[in-house]
């Protein structure tokens, strides 16, 4: 059994064995093994040439990763918390994202790190910053929900020839475990997965939302309602076909994410569904997301803030009764 | 007035230095006591929400600087400057409540631990992004100058912050505009696990002063008198309209980065070495040697302190959590 | 007759006269009067205390504006191009946006500057960065389409007690003109405007899109089709009521923006419509936006990239035939 | 080989210095000719798409540095370093096509003017955000070291860039890691309309070297020999694994910021003063004085140059625009 965290570590380690151009760069990742210990042991295995501790400078780290990627290496840069990517934002959205389009220069790099709430991290250690990058052509955005996918996707991300933002959900790091197949496997970027078949309604989600949906689905089962769950896995490029197929099948859809509502990825999904599966819809397209506030610190507030299985269940009942 | 505070009120007799030393002692020991309680007790009892960053061994910095300021000077404490709050009248009870996510904390449970601010007290709450406060402090300094006051803005940060672009942009902007900004670096030689020599290729943070055309001095950060005097020079410089002034306080982080970090990456000898330089112990020795305080006053003081902190913890534990119905409030100014 | 550019300049000047706490800060805004000359003459009128030229440092500028705003001043910070806000991103989304919620500290500041394409500015001088901020609770996002609104909204933005991002469209600066009322007036933040009544379909748009829609509407008129146009004017907070009222009335809707499609504001609008006006819809919800690429430089590519009246017209015809 | 290039091929006789001077002359004068054509003719004829930034009077910087490099050294030219492209084999025709948004430009019309790059030529295309290239250049240097080469990365930037956080972060990172990075500052004393004293409170950009523990030297940016020698020292330092090296080239921007800027904010005398220091004129004088070139060779050279440029313009004007059907291509790697 591997946790989500171990799966990512395994995936990174395998890619480093496989390709000498893969290296790690970030704050406190070498000697300390990273704030969440994702890179624990890597320094011993691969040496300080390939596991680079930097000063505290996110723009510097992202920029350096871009420069190394342009030279043909495959940097994997850690943000200690994905929230801090805002400090290296320009490098990501303007430098990394646009090189290929502008002058045909590939930037094969990964920026990865913990995101999401549920650990009382407060406004700056709990955010889900994926929507900013989802809106930036040239980037790929990956957000796995399970150990299997986390390992398969980090490996694909490292092999990808475009810049990938890899959002790990910190509340899943040690909470979800599963057996992983022995040896090398990858999960393709850009492919969603129907993680649960159903016929009455669809939940389209990713990351922590998958687990909320699964919990709600079991309760609904007992009520005789069958929920289909699509785990997007990759947010950009979006696997529209799998989403639309599910909606066309069930005719009812909930778009679920932990990120805040307005401007979140649910909007984009709703738009595609309202345009391309319009004739199939039997009910309004419903979104469940965190409300439009910063992530509050105090447990009672954070609990009220975060989506959860109960909130999914309530909306699902409403939707099925529509 | 609590009994503990009595230590500061020396009726007659002792001179200014003695008086100052008692104020140093009061705030440094209170900060230590509050942080010890948080880190060594409440955190282990799982009563604290979120991360715990304490400043054991570094108390001389906020205290030495803080007592050089006027109430109208605007402070930007970093995550190892708890005494700043105490000196501006935030009680230990509010601090414990803050760390427990209760309504009685300075942010009412919206944000946690050292992310506290209160505009009425001229304290600005930091955000997590290290170094981000430097340009903001420059802007506060700009406003103080704009308004024609002679107040200063004081920005605290660690050695780690000096690697951030914001640090550079903020200081440079303030220097060019000759803004009344005092920059206080807590150089505790580590940023999380990263030792100073992996952060910068120059020997001292103060070596960066010339890059901005501003004075920069190095001070023993474990000597509260030295810190205080440097702060007075810095504040005077800024008040006189001469622009920013940087103080680098050399000290050592006597803990892990936060309560969950055993700091295995720090050579053990360093802890032993710096233990000898503990700023509170040094202060106490000097006070006793100079007759600024009597031995029995010291033990009484610590007894009082413990009682004060006990009471504050009790208050905070009884304090309610915020009402989840308020979750959506105050994202924007409420419509009138 | 005042151009869009002059209207903004007038609005800023009036607010500076009105409130001594209003000041301007940015690169090349004082002596030079700004790259687009919005602040031309301000240095002479208000002196260098209130018109502050800075070094080249967007994070420093935004941060300094935040600090001054916390102290009760009302800074108006210029980004020479709104694209460069990515260099001060953390300050905007983490510092400015969250102070009020976290510790009840108002940050009354405006960040303004030119955005948008059509001037062959290439990938870094033509972007529409509004969607990033639209997704950040605590910010207000304003994007006027006319001189009247530009003046009224810059004045409201300066008086607002929350941080406002004010997106000027550089292609409108000198292209649109109108008579402005004499004296002080404001346009409220958070209120959309039906700029053209119609009954057959609605176009919901803002900024340059308003002008594309108006042009298309005239052509459609000649075909006997009546197009309603809603100018959002403020993107955050969104005036959902006006949008939904229009959709409920016409039952057909095009969401139009110059910004790129995926993750753009059209998605959010579609989601709200598909949830809250579902029963009223007679046709799929349609979006028109730039495609998901960086903004290309060469005129022929930029022309193909940008939405325009012809593209609106074609979709409108399709939608009405649906 | 064009006739103009003949100036560089001195069969026998003159020594190394003469040979070098002819290479200087060729590239500096070609850069000037190309930029003059763009700014003074094509731009006014509305044949140029987008903004025009030229480096009149600053040609010694890219040329002096560029000729100190190996082809495998990776360069990050800024917006006043056109000669870098010429030296790496990008022809004037491609440059004109780039400025006209044609398919024959280095970016095929995707991006404009000096945003040109070609990985095969080891030239990285800048992005507009001033200073952003510094951390990226640090990363390129890291890769060169990682791969075990002894090549260096060379990053060009203006005085304005030194106020950006990215500049600080990139240099600091490179210094701590001892990366082979050569930093070349074109200090032309203005960033757009902002004079140097409103950008920094220190006298020289080089005063910032000590802040990063790296050598920094000031050089007369209008003396191509001096620039070249400094670049050789810098490159040797970086190649030897000693880390970054900063060269500040003092010069002057003999134009507005871009072609639409009349530069009314610059005192007229400064233009007159710096006109006397024109780097091409100075070079020519020295060459003539030293007998490294004959007067008739100079005029023949300029004739050739003009012809070369005429032909290149003609080629570019005949070059098609990109096909709008390609608009969506190459946002991502094409799926195989
Ligand atoms: C921009 C940013 N990156 C990373 C972090 C995570 N982090 C929090 S504190 C810290 C180390 C700070 O070191 P220093 O500034 O020296 O302060 P110290 O903790 O030593 O007092 C790090 C890396 C952060 N808060 N902000
Ligand atoms: C981050 C950023 N802010 C603003 C600009 C607009 N801008 C372009 S060049 C320039 C001045 C640059 O000055 P300097 O670095 O000295 O180079 P010079 O033009 O003098 O050669 C400015 C402000 C920009 N390109 N990037
Ligand atoms: Mg430190
Ligand atoms: Mg310059």
């Amino acid at each position: 059994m591997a946790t989500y965290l171990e799966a990512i570590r395994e995936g990174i380690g395998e890619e480093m064995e496989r390709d000498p151009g893969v290296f790690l760069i970030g704050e406190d990742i070498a000697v300390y093994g990273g704030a969440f210990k994702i890179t624990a042991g890597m320094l011993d295995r691969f040496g300080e040439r390939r596991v680079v501790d930097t000063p505290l400078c996110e723009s510097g780290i992202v920029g350096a990763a871009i420069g190394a990627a342009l030279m043909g290496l495959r940097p994997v840069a850690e943000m200690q918390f994905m929230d801090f990517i805002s400090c290296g934002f320009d490098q990501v959205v303007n430098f990394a994202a646009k090189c290929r389009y502008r002058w045909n220069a590939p930037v094969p790099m990964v920026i990865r790190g913990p995101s999401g709430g549920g650990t009382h991290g407060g406004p700056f250690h709990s955010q889900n910053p994926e929507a900013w990058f989802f809106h930036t052509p040239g980037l790929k955005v990956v957000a796995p929900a399970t150990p299997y996918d986390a390992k398969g996707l980090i490996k694909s991300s490292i092999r990808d020839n475009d810049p990938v933002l890899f959002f790990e959900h910190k509340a899943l790091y040690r909470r979800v475990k599963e057996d992983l197949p022995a040896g090398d496997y990858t999960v393709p970027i850009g492919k969603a997965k129907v993680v649960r078949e159903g016929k009455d309604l669809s939940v389209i989600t990713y990351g922590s939302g998958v687990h909320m949906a699964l919990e709600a689905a079991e309760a609904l089962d007992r009520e005789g309602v069958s929920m289909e769950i699509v785990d997007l896995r990759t947010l950009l490029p979006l696997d529209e076909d799998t989403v639309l197929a599910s909606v066309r099948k069930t005719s009812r859809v909930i778009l679920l994410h932990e990120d805040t509502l307005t401007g979140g990825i649910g909007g984009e999904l709703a738009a595609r569904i309202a345009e391309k599966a319009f004739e199939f819809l039997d009910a309004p397209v419903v979104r469940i997301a965190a409300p439009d506030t910063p992530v509050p610190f105090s447990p009672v507030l954070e609990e009220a803030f975060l989506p959860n299985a109960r909130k999914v269940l309530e909306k699902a009942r409403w939707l099925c009764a529509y | 007035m609590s009994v503990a505070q009595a230590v500061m009120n020396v009726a007659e007799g002792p001179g200014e230095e003695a008086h100052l030393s008692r104020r140093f002692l009061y705030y440094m020991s209170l900060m230590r006591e509050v942080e010890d309680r948080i880190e060594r007790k409440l955190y282990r009892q799982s009563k604290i929400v979120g991360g715990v960053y304490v400043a054991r061994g570094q108390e001389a910095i906020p205290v030495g600087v803080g007592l050089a300021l006027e109430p109208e000077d605007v402070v930007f404490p970093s995550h190892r400057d708890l005494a700043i709050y105490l000196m501006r009248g935030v009680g230990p009870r509010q601090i414990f409540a803050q760390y427990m996510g209760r309504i009685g904390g300075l942010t009412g449970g919206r944000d946690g631990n050292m992310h506290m601010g209160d505009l009425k007290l001229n304290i600005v709450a930091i955000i997590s992004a290290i170094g981000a406060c430097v340009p903001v402090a420059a802007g506060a300094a700009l406003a103080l100058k704009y308004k024609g006051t002679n107040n200063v803005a004081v920005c605290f940060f660690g050695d780690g912050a000096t690697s951030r672009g914001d640090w550079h942009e903020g200081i440079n902007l303030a220097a060019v505009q000759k803004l009344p900004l005092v920059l206080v670096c807590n150089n505790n030689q580590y940023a999380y696990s990263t030792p100073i020599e992996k952060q910068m290729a120059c020997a001292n943070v103060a070596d960066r002063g010339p890059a901005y055309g501003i004075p920069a001095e190095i001070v023993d950060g474990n000597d509260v008198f030295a810190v205080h005097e440097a702060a007075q020079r810095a504040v005077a410089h800024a008040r006189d309209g001469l622009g920013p002034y940087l103080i680098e306080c050399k000290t050592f982080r006597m803990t892990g980065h936060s309560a969950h970090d055993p700091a295995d990456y720090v050579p053990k000898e360093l802890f032993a070495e710096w233990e000898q330089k503990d700023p509170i112990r040094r202060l106490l020795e000097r006070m006793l040697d100079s007759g600024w305080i009597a031995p029995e006053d010291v033990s009484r003081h610590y007894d009082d302190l413990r009682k004060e902190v006990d009471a504050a913890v009790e208050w905070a534990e009884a304090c309610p959590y915020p009402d989840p119905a308020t979750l959506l409030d105050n994202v924007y100014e409420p419509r009138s």
Side-chain angles (χ1 to χ4, degrees), chain A, chain B:
Chain A
M1 298 278 275
T3 61
Y4 182 95
L5 187 154
E6 289 158 354
I8 297 166
R9 188 191 294 142
E10 260 184 53
I12 294 171
E14 286 177 18
E15 292 307 300
M16 290 183 77
E17 301 280 6
R18 187 175 169 271
D19 180 347
V22 177
F23 75 100
L24 311 182
I25 183 165
E27 295 159 11
D28 309 295
I29 61 164
V31 174
Y32 192 65
F36 286 86
K37 301 289 176 193
I38 295 271
T39 55
M42 296 294 189
L43 179 63
D44 287 346
R45 270 172 82 187
F46 298 104
E48 61 181 11
R49 176 167 155 275
R50 296 184 67 192
V51 190
V52 181
D53 267 338
T54 67
L56 202 167
C57 55
E58 281 72 12
S59 195
I61 293 166
V62 175
I66 295 169
L70 284 169
M71 297 296 106
L73 299 184
R74 293 190 176 270
V76 179
E78 173 170 297
M79 295 288 106
Q80 202 157 87
F81 287 82
M82 275 308 241
D83 307 65
F84 300 132
I85 189 70
S86 50
C87 300
F89 198 71
D90 181 60
Q91 291 285 352
V92 182
V93 302
N94 283 326
F95 220 129
K98 297 180 175 47
C99 276
R100 183 185 288 281
Y101 190 79
R102 292 168 56 229
W103 59 291
N104 204 24
V107 183
M109 65 186 279
V110 177
I111 301 172
R112 51 151 292 277
S115 61
T119 64
H120 319 318
F124 307 109
H125 290 80
S126 311
Q127 295 177 84
N128 293 281
E130 55 266 20
W132 293 328
F133 304 104
F134 177 72
H135 183 55
T136 306
L139 302 176
K140 294 181 178 177
V141 180
V142 172
T146 65
Y148 180 89
D149 285 344
K151 178 171 173 185
L153 281 164
I154 191 72
K155 288 164 65 81
S156 293
S157 299
I158 293 170
R159 294 184 202 179
D160 202 277
N161 287 326
D162 288 306
V164 178
L165 297 222
F166 190 88
F167 290 87
E168 301 161 9
H169 199 296
K170 69 175 79 66
L172 302 179
Y173 271 153
R174 295 182 166 85
R175 216 185 78 200
V176 296
K177 289 190 181 48
E178 67 185 311
D179 283 323
L180 299 182
D184 181 48
Y185 73 92
T186 59
V187 170
I189 291 180
K191 289 267 171 274
K193 184 177 170 192
V194 179
V195 293
R196 190 179 196 279
E197 300 261 359
K199 58 184 182 22
D200 298 322
L201 82 165
S202 301
V203 175
I204 318 294
T205 188
Y206 61 91
S208 63
V210 174
H211 302 278
M212 301 171 202
L214 283 168
E215 200 183 323
E218 280 185 32
L220 269 187
D221 249 356
R222 294 190 289 273
E223 300 174 17
V225 176
S226 137
M227 183 192 271
E228 174 146 314
I229 302 174
V230 176
D231 177 358
L232 292 169
R233 306 196 294 188
T234 297
L235 306 180
L236 189 70
L238 199 59
D239 181 358
E240 187 179 283
D241 293 343
T242 303
V243 171
L244 294 177
S246 181
V247 175
R248 289 186 184 126
K249 174 175 156 194
T250 65
S251 300
R252 286 180 161 76
V253 62
I254 291 176
L255 309 170
L256 166 66
H257 52 67
E258 188 188 300
D259 189 11
T260 53
L261 184 76
T262 298
I265 286 163
E268 181 65 26
L269 293 166
R272 302 219 188 172
I273 292 165
E275 179 162 2
K276 298 179 183 168
F278 177 72
E279 294 291 351
F280 295 84
L281 287 172
D282 285 346
V285 177
V286 164
R287 286 184 296 170
I288 302 176
D292 291 330
T293 76
V295 186
F297 170 74
S298 188
V300 285
L301 293 178
E302 194 185 21
E303 162 80 18
F305 172 86
L306 290 173
N308 57 34
R310 185 181 44 71
K311 294 175 192 176
V312 177
L313 194 58
E314 279 164 18
K315 275 282 191 206
R317 287 194 189 118
W318 177 88
L319 196 60
C320 291
Y322 187 90
Chain B
M1 189 182 60
S2 79
V3 191
Q5 275 176 285
V7 76
M8 297 191 309
N9 292 283
V10 187
E12 301 283 308
E16 221 181 296
E17 239 180 345
H19 185 69
L20 189 61
S21 74
R22 285 166 170 250
R23 305 220 300 156
F24 288 154
L25 177 64
Y26 175 67
Y27 288 116
M28 287 168 69
S29 56
L30 179 57
M31 174 171 168
R32 172 87 50 102
E33 191 67 25
V34 168
E35 290 195 338
D36 274 359
R37 192 66 63 96
I38 290 171
E39 195 209 19
R40 297 185 161 171
K41 192 154 175 201
L42 299 167
Y43 176 76
R44 294 180 190 170
Q45 293 172 334
S46 300
K47 288 182 176 167
I48 297 295
V49 182
V52 165
Y53 308 80
V54 298
R56 193 170 310 128
Q58 300 143 74
E59 296 89 347
I61 299 167
V63 173
V65 174
L67 289 179
L69 306 179
E70 300 297 326
E72 296 75 24
D73 295 327
V74 180
V75 274
F76 291 71
S78 191
H79 55 297
R80 310 222 190 255
D81 301 303
L82 195 77
I84 292 292
Y85 298 93
L86 303 170
M87 288 184 280
R88 295 248 160 152
V90 179
R93 55 170 61 184
Q94 288 168 280
I95 290 166
F96 289 119
Q98 170 80 6
Y99 275 78
M100 294 177 183
R102 309 300 170 105
I103 190 79
L106 237 61
T107 64
R110 290 314 186 72
D111 204 343
N113 42 58
M114 65 287 175
H115 290 175
M116 293 181 275
D118 186 340
L119 283 179
K120 289 186 301 299
L121 302 177
N122 292 309
I123 304 178
V124 174
I126 52 167
I127 68 168
S128 284
I130 293 286
C133 56
V134 182
V136 180
L142 184 150
L144 295 170
K145 182 176 170 186
Y146 187 99
K147 291 174 177 181
T149 75
N150 73 345
N151 289 110
V152 306
V154 183
C155 187
F156 292 83
F157 49 83
D159 44 290
T162 67
S163 303
R164 282 276 341 272
D166 271 11
W167 185 83
H168 175 74
E169 293 195 5
I171 299 185
N172 188 53
L173 180 64
V176 167
Q177 312 261 349
K178 280 208 179 305
L179 302 177
L181 178 64
V182 174
L183 299 150
V184 183
C185 181
N186 168 331
N187 183 351
N188 60 14
Q189 304 181 48
Y190 280 89
Y192 210 147
S193 73
T194 311
I196 193 80
E197 65 275 13
K198 280 194 169 183
Q199 299 180 51
M200 52 179 71
C202 54
N204 307 290
V205 171
D207 297 345
R208 293 186 169 174
Y212 307 103
I214 62 170
E217 67 170 290
I218 296 172
V219 66
D220 177 348
N222 285 27
D223 176 347
V224 64
F225 282 95
V227 172
H228 185 65
E229 282 154 28
Q232 286 179 317
R233 282 189 291 278
V235 169
H237 178 92
R239 275 208 217 297
D240 286 351
L242 302 175
Y245 193 110
L246 171 64
I247 306 170
E248 176 182 8
C249 306
K250 300 272 194 192
T251 184
F252 194 73
R253 201 188 66 200
M254 295 299 293
T255 60
H257 171 60
S258 66
H260 72 265
D261 168 18
D264 296 331
Y265 49 83
V266 179
K268 294 274 163 302
E269 323 76 80
L270 284 178
F271 286 119
E273 178 190 330
W274 282 86
E275 181 65 45
Q276 299 310 314
K277 304 185 194 164
D278 183 83
I280 297 181
R281 186 201 297 189
R282 272 169 74 182
L283 171 63
L284 265 176
E285 277 166 12
R286 182 156 168 199
M287 288 175 77
L288 289 164
D289 285 356
S290 313
W292 294 338
I293 196 166
E296 59 277 17
D297 281 350
V298 175
S299 56
R300 211 188 42 153
H301 164 65
Y302 272 101
D303 287 347
D304 293 347
L305 217 55
R306 241 163 270 130
K307 279 183 215 137
E308 187 178 344
V309 166
D310 287 344
V313 169
E314 207 171 306
W315 184 89
E317 290 197 70
C319 189
Y321 285 105
D323 179 356
T326 62
L327 173 67
L328 302 182
D329 298 350
N330 220 24
V331 175
Y332 300 103
E333 182 179 38
R335 293 229 185 147
S336 49

